[in-house]
Amino acid sequence: MTSLPIVKITDLDKYFGRLHVLKNINLEVPERQVVCLIGRSGSGKSTLLRCINFLEEPSRGAVEVDGIKVNTETKGRERHQLIHDVRLKTGMVFQEFNLFPHMTVLENVIEGPVTVKGIDRKQAIELAEQNLDSVGLLFKKDEYPLRLSGGQKQRVAIARALTMQPRVMLFDEPTSALDPELIGEVLNVMKKVAYEGMTMIVVTHEMGFAREVADRVIVMSEGKLIEDGEPEKIFNSPQDPRTESLLIRYKSGGG
Amino acid sequence: MTSATQQEASPSHAELLYQAQLRKERLFRAHVGVSWVILLLILIFLFSGQKIQIGQLEYQTIQLDSEFILKNLIFIAGGLGQTLLISILSISVAVTLALLAALGRLSNFPPIYAISAFYVSLIRGTPLYLQIFFFFLALPQLGINLSGVVAGVTALGLNYGAYMSETFRAGLSSVGKGQREAALALGMTSSQTMRRIVLPQALRFAIPPMGNDFISMTKDSALVSATGFVHELMWRAVKVGRAQFNNLEALIIAAMFYWALTLILTYFQSKLETRLAKGDR
């Protein structure tokens, strides 16, 4: 794990109005690492994830993705361009799927490559079909999202993000909006993506997934990273009492 | 295995309930249909000039001048084309303005935001009738002479555009924040996001109310007759009605045409709505 970091966050602060939601965050994620961000709701984990692709503007600090650095001093057109470049390097999967309802599954998946990257439609379809196949939904390619289950929607959303061939995938509570019986199929797809070597940052409440798939678990509380280490270490011998109480809550079925 | 037999029995029970409900709905629609026919017959009877004897008293329903009707029906019907033309032109102007005004309201640039809010406020704060006269009668004082049709279309377009911009605004805000975020996360620019993701969904949302607006427009176009230079339905009815003191007949003819037009357009409107509802939303 000596490879250069794909994501590097330096001295990042985020305010919502007067609320200080991220407090001086520093984080490096090397290539091929799977990181799970855990913490209570309101701890800032989703906001941190959304700062990486600038769906939230950091109030202060620098974000660097695959060598593209955006900090507070970057302004105007240059900033606009750099943020665009960062977004091309990141794929995002949302809690609420956010598939485009007016497009078929295939159209959803090729939209990015065709509109944003200007890839030839035929080539985009080929790529899209490969990814739909790998999430097991090629047979649904001509359906509209309305006709898919929540689990299927999320798998399409993963295929859509992968088809942009990002360097890092950001997952924002990808299974939190799903019925319990549909969570497994989405986690399995994520596992597959992880084993194929994708760098992943996953905000999740799925402790089983974190324990099994993550290389590293980071615990957040009140806008700070309070613990950071291998899942084994975090789950078996947490150092911070707040981590302990969080894990107890998960064990008792909360969260 | 009681649960298995229950499971087998329950679909047919549900089926029965469903059938009963369908019958009830069909019966209701049939009753409404019959009532419509009765009301229509009463209306026709009221204008049929029939004599009725009740005891000692003799009554007569309204007698229409059928000779006048036959002679002028074609002339008044000749206005349908103008009515539709004005409506179609005006709605095109209105949709364009409404879209611009609605997008203007999303702008972060204060002057653009202000222009669109100002336009909507000014137009909604004054009567349509006044606006039509303004373009036709007031502008010539400034040396701008618009024909009746141009003045009418300008006024109707501006007026409906202001109201419809609110519909578009609702359409735009009906598209969730998550849709924009998903598009931005893919790397789309904000204009690509608007064009490819937000607008198609917003327009679909706005199509049914736009249909309603078009139907209203066909009737509000009658106001343009006030300029005296647009020979649409209303103008023709007033012209022949006044000339021969047959305003009753003339206006009834015009009313029937407007009504028929509305019924036809409403039919297509409801077809469109069911198609949109069945679609992929």
Side-chain angles (χ1 to χ4, degrees):
Chain A
M1 243 179 277
T2 46
S3 51
L4 79 162
I6 290 283
V7 174
K8 185 175 176 188
I9 294 169
T10 320
D11 295 332
L12 185 135
D13 280 273
K14 174 70 184 172
Y15 292 86
F16 283 129
R18 292 199 181 86
L19 206 62
H20 198 177
V21 288
L22 293 177
K23 297 166 186 164
N24 196 39
I25 304 284
N26 285 282
L27 174 65
E28 282 188 21
V29 179
E31 197 169 1
R32 289 174 168 260
Q33 195 170 63
V34 176
V35 181
C36 279
L37 272 177
I38 66 172
R40 298 194 175 192
S41 53
S43 59
K45 53 196 192 308
S46 278
T47 308
L48 176 59
L49 194 76
R50 290 160 58 85
C51 279
I52 297 173
N53 67 352
F54 292 88
L55 287 184
E56 299 291 352
E57 285 277 347
S59 308
R60 202 174 63 82
V63 174
E64 189 177 334
V65 178
D66 198 23
I68 298 164
K69 188 171 179 179
V70 184
N71 57 28
T72 327
E73 284 75 55
T74 331
K75 293 246 153 65
R77 284 193 73 82
E78 190 198 355
R79 183 183 183 82
H80 214 76
Q81 184 59 48
L82 288 178
I83 288 177
H84 178 77
D85 293 346
V86 164
R87 284 176 178 162
L88 286 181
K89 304 256 181 197
T90 54
M92 190 169 217
V93 174
F94 299 86
Q95 186 177 341
E96 301 291 341
F97 331 126
N98 297 341
L99 293 182
F100 306 130
H102 58 301
M103 298 179 182
T104 64
V105 164
L106 186 68
E107 286 166 350
N108 263 278
V109 179
I110 63 169
E111 180 62 24
V114 171
T115 303
V116 178
K117 285 186 168 175
I119 288 179
D120 175 61
R121 203 181 151 86
K122 236 179 173 167
Q123 213 180 326
I125 289 175
E126 211 170 288
L127 202 60
E129 288 184 342
Q130 268 171 31
N131 283 321
L132 280 173
D133 197 26
S134 93
V135 301
L137 286 171
L138 187 54
F139 71 109
K140 290 281 189 188
K141 70 184 167 102
D142 295 321
E143 292 280 9
Y144 282 92
L146 185 73
R147 308 187 49 101
L148 304 182
S149 73
Q152 291 172 334
K153 282 182 195 167
Q154 196 60 301
R155 282 150 65 197
V156 171
I158 293 171
R160 175 173 72 178
L162 285 175
T163 306
M164 289 298 282
Q165 299 178 311
R167 295 303 309 275
V168 51
M169 287 280 286
L170 310 174
F171 292 84
D172 190 2
E173 301 201 27
T175 57
S176 296
L178 294 176
D179 292 335
E181 73 270 22
L182 303 177
I183 291 176
E185 60 186 81
V186 172
L187 292 180
N188 282 334
V189 166
M190 289 167 61
K191 221 183 282 181
K192 199 169 156 191
V193 175
Y195 292 155
E196 281 164 9
M198 179 60 74
T199 312
M200 290 167 56
I201 305 179
V202 186
V203 170
T204 187
H205 295 288
E206 292 297 326
M207 293 305 119
F209 178 83
R211 195 185 274 269
E212 189 188 344
V213 184
D215 301 305
R216 178 180 174 193
V217 172
I218 296 174
V219 187
M220 285 189 73
S221 178
E222 291 169 359
K224 289 183 188 149
L225 313 183
I226 57 169
E227 204 152 347
D228 183 347
E230 285 175 14
E232 202 68 5
K233 186 184 135 230
I234 303 281
F235 288 117
N236 296 339
S237 50
Q239 302 299 305
D240 196 296
R242 287 169 293 182
T243 307
E244 230 169 321
S245 81
L246 178 75
L247 294 177
I248 286 167
R249 251 166 54 110
Y250 281 128
K251 267 178 205 148
S252 64
Chain B
M1 296 294 274
T2 46
S3 68
T5 44
Q6 253 174 9
Q7 261 174 8
E8 270 165 39
S10 62
S12 74
H13 182 56
E15 183 61 29
L16 281 176
L17 281 174
Y18 178 62
Q19 291 295 343
Q21 194 193 337
L22 278 187
R23 268 200 303 281
K24 222 169 133 186
E25 281 167 14
R26 241 178 274 140
L27 198 63
F28 180 80
R29 277 200 300 274
H31 282 174
V32 171
V34 170
S35 308
W36 262 72
V37 172
I38 292 171
L39 287 170
L40 198 63
L41 288 175
I42 292 174
L43 193 64
I44 292 169
F45 175 71
L46 277 177
F47 289 92
S48 61
Q50 295 286 327
K51 291 200 172 67
I52 327 159
Q53 186 93 35
I54 301 177
Q56 299 287 46
L57 298 165
E58 200 185 70
Y59 296 93
Q60 191 185 8
T61 60
I62 301 160
Q63 176 76 55
L64 295 180
D65 182 345
S66 55
E67 198 184 324
F68 171 88
I69 293 179
L70 285 175
K71 244 175 35 203
N72 294 291
L73 194 63
I74 304 292
F75 176 74
I76 296 177
L80 267 171
Q82 283 277 314
T83 291
L84 275 173
L85 177 74
I86 292 170
S87 303
I88 289 167
L89 289 176
S90 307
I91 205 82
S92 315
V93 174
V95 167
T96 313
L97 286 173
L99 197 55
L100 290 175
L103 290 174
R105 281 297 191 88
L106 295 178
S107 173
N108 291 326
F109 187 52
I112 299 279
Y113 180 94
I115 288 170
S116 96
F118 190 83
Y119 156 63
V120 172
S121 170
L122 180 66
I123 296 292
R124 298 218 305 178
T126 50
L128 173 57
Y129 200 52
L130 185 151
Q131 291 159 11
I132 291 170
F133 274 119
F134 183 84
F135 284 102
F136 188 68
L137 295 179
L139 287 187
Q141 214 173 312
L142 308 174
I144 302 166
N145 290 298
L146 301 179
S147 75
V149 173
V150 173
V153 167
T154 309
L156 280 170
L158 275 170
N159 185 279
Y160 270 68
Y163 284 95
M164 287 172 79
S165 76
E166 298 296 305
T167 309
F168 282 177
R169 229 149 64 94
L172 287 170
S173 60
S174 78
V175 181
K177 200 174 129 229
Q179 290 288 310
R180 277 169 235 261
E181 288 186 347
L184 292 175
L186 282 175
M188 289 197 198
T189 63
S190 41
S191 77
Q192 283 170 336
T193 302
M194 183 52 75
R195 245 189 6 256
R196 306 270 320 158
I197 307 302
V198 179
L199 272 185
Q201 295 182 59
L203 287 180
R204 181 166 304 192
F205 178 95
I207 281 173
M210 269 162 64
N212 287 334
D213 284 333
F214 181 65
I215 292 169
S216 301
M217 179 81 89
T218 58
K219 285 155 292 175
D220 278 350
S221 69
L223 291 171
V224 178
S225 70
T227 64
F229 285 91
V230 184
H231 302 174
E232 43 68 77
L233 271 178
M234 184 68 186
W235 181 87
R236 288 174 181 239
V238 170
K239 181 185 153 81
V240 293
R242 277 207 184 130
Q244 303 167 42
F245 292 108
N246 279 115
N247 284 311
L248 180 63
E249 288 82 1
L251 290 177
I252 286 174
I253 293 171
M256 289 301 124
F257 279 126
Y258 280 117
W259 193 15
L261 196 59
T262 302
L263 286 176
I264 293 166
L265 291 173
T266 309
Y267 172 77
F268 285 118
Q269 153 98 341
S270 70
K271 282 235 145 176
L272 185 70
E273 260 178 65
T274 37
R275 250 188 66 186
L276 282 178
K278 263 192 222 149
D280 36 30
R281 196 155 230 283

